[in-house]
């Protein structure tokens, strides 16, 4: 986000994967709060969009080696989660852009550019220069239901799954949180975790209780990891703010003490400056002049 490193030349794919399967993924919780099932949902029925425009996803990589040898894959889904990585983890010195997702749907359109603003819709992949097996993904764009399976197959299909561990960050409206207590008494934002059976490390917040579920791309990634027996954990932030928000972004800060992110965190003072810059850029972009 913002001052992202420049991406080396990316070649457009010569072939078309027109025969790729399409579908959405959802899931549920077992009593031990692990992810236990997956449902594939039929493709989108919006013929106006599906019939007139291609909805195929393209994942363009700048690195020559395929599949990527990846030990840690961190996926931030949504603008606040992506801004958290930009503020507290990413910089142009230690990280390099290695990939980009191009897609179009009824809600957004992304391109191969890496010069993006916090308010843009984009999906970029970064690799830690000192340890190329650590890969981050910032996905602020909406991935439609009929595009989620493509995203999973093309992203994870480019990675070696052996010894891979996945961490997912996302946000969700606090109104979607199911509890016996009144949601009016909840202090938001707050974090909840959901993990696959193979994830054995300690989580950084309370586990998500039944009958709560997760949806969209976060559910798809977690379900994919469960099926492929990949250790994975989802940290979902329940918030009452839908735009870029300092409090929501900082709600992810407990994760910086985790074994996974502790070694990747930037200096706190630098992170604060970057966070203020992002929010200033966002407010300027959203101003309406009459």
């Amino acid at each position: 986000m913002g001052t992202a490193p420049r991406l080396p030349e990316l070649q457009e794919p010569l072939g078309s994967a027109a025969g790729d399967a399409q579908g959405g993924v959802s899931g549920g919780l077992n009593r031990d709060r692990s992810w236990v099932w997956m449902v594939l949902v039929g493709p989108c029925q919006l013929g106006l969009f599906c019939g007139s425009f291609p909805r195929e996803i393209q994942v363009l990589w700048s690195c020559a080696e395929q599949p990527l040898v990846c030990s840690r894959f961190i996926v931030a889904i949504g603008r606040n989660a992506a801004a958290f990585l930009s503020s507290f983890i990413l910089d142009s010195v230690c990280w390099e852009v290695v990939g980009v997702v191009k897609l179009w749907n009824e809600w957004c359109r992304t391109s191969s550019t890496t010069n993006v603003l916090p308010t843009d819709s984009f999906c970029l992949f970064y690799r830690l220069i000192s340890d190329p097996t650590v890969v981050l993904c910032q996905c602020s764009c909406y991935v439609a239901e009929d595009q989620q399976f493509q995203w999973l197959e093309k992203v994870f299909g480019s990675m070696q799954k052996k010894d891979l561990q996945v961490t997912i960050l996302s946000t969700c409206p606090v109104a979607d949180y199911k509890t016996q207590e009144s949601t009016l008494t909840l202090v938001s934002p707050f974090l909840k975790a959901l993990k696959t059976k193979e994830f054995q490390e300690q989580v950084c917040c309370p586990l998500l209780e039944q009958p709560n579920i997760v949806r969209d791309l976060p559910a798809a990634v977690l379900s994919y990891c469960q099926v492929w027996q990949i250790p994975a954990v989802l940290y979902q932030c329940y918030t009452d703010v839908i735009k870029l928000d300092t409090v929501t972004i900082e709600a992810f800060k407990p994760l910086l003490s985790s074994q996974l992110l502790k070694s990747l965190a930037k200096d706190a003072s630098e992170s604060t400056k970057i966070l203020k810059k992002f929010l200033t850029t966002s407010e300027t972009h959203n101003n309406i002049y009459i």
Side-chain angles (χ1 to χ4, degrees), residues 156-167:
F156 282 97
S158 302
M159 296 181 180
Q160 183 175 308
K161 297 179 179 65
K162 183 180 179 181
D163 299 323
L164 173 63
Q165 180 172 310
V166 178
T167 301

Side-chain angles (χ1 to χ4, degrees), residues 86-105:
S86 291
S87 301
F88 294 93
I89 303 294
L90 284 170
D91 61 51
S92 58
V93 177
C94 300
W95 298 84
E96 60 178 349
V97 182
V98 293
V100 60
V101 173
K102 291 179 62 177
L103 62 83
W104 181 94
N105 56 50

Side-chain angles (χ1 to χ4, degrees), residues 6 25 29 33 58 77 82 90 93 159 190 196 209 220 224 226 240 251 258-259 272-273 275:
R6 294 184 60 83
V25 189
L29 286 168
R33 297 174 186 173
Q58 296 180 352
I77 301 171
L90 284 170
V93 177
M159 296 181 180
F190 58 90
T196 62
E209 308 91 344
Y224 185 93
Q226 178 66 37
D240 54 4
S258 67
Q259 182 179 355
T272 302
K273 292 179 182 179
L275 181 57

Side-chain angles (χ1 to χ4, degrees), residues 252-269:
F252 289 104
K253 287 179 69 174
L255 306 186
L256 298 175
S257 62
S258 67
Q259 182 179 355
L260 177 64
L261 296 182
K262 187 174 183 180
S263 61
L264 304 177
K266 294 189 292 191
D267 179 78
S269 59

Side-chain angles (χ1 to χ4, degrees), residues 125-199:
F125 298 89
Y126 301 82
R127 184 167 61 180
L128 185 62
I129 296 175
S130 61
D131 183 1
T133 67
V134 180
V135 178
L136 302 186
C137 173
Q138 288 181 305
C139 186
S140 73
C141 63
Y142 173 72
V143 180
E145 182 181 276
D146 63 302
Q147 295 175 318
Q148 292 170 14
F149 187 74
Q150 289 188 63
W151 193 99
L152 295 170
E153 288 292 297
K154 294 184 178 182
V155 171
F156 282 97
S158 302
M159 296 181 180
Q160 183 175 308
K161 297 179 179 65
K162 183 180 179 181
D163 299 323
L164 173 63
Q165 180 172 310
V166 178
T167 301
I168 311 153
L169 313 180
S170 71
T171 56
C172 181
V174 70
D176 289 349
Y177 182 68
K178 295 178 175 60
T179 176
Q180 293 181 349
E181 302 176 7
S182 171
T183 55
L184 297 177
T185 63
L186 293 174
V187 180
S188 63
F190 58 90
L191 282 177
K192 293 290 182 178
L194 189 60
K195 60 188 180 70
T196 62
K197 182 175 60 176
E198 289 75 19
F199 188 86

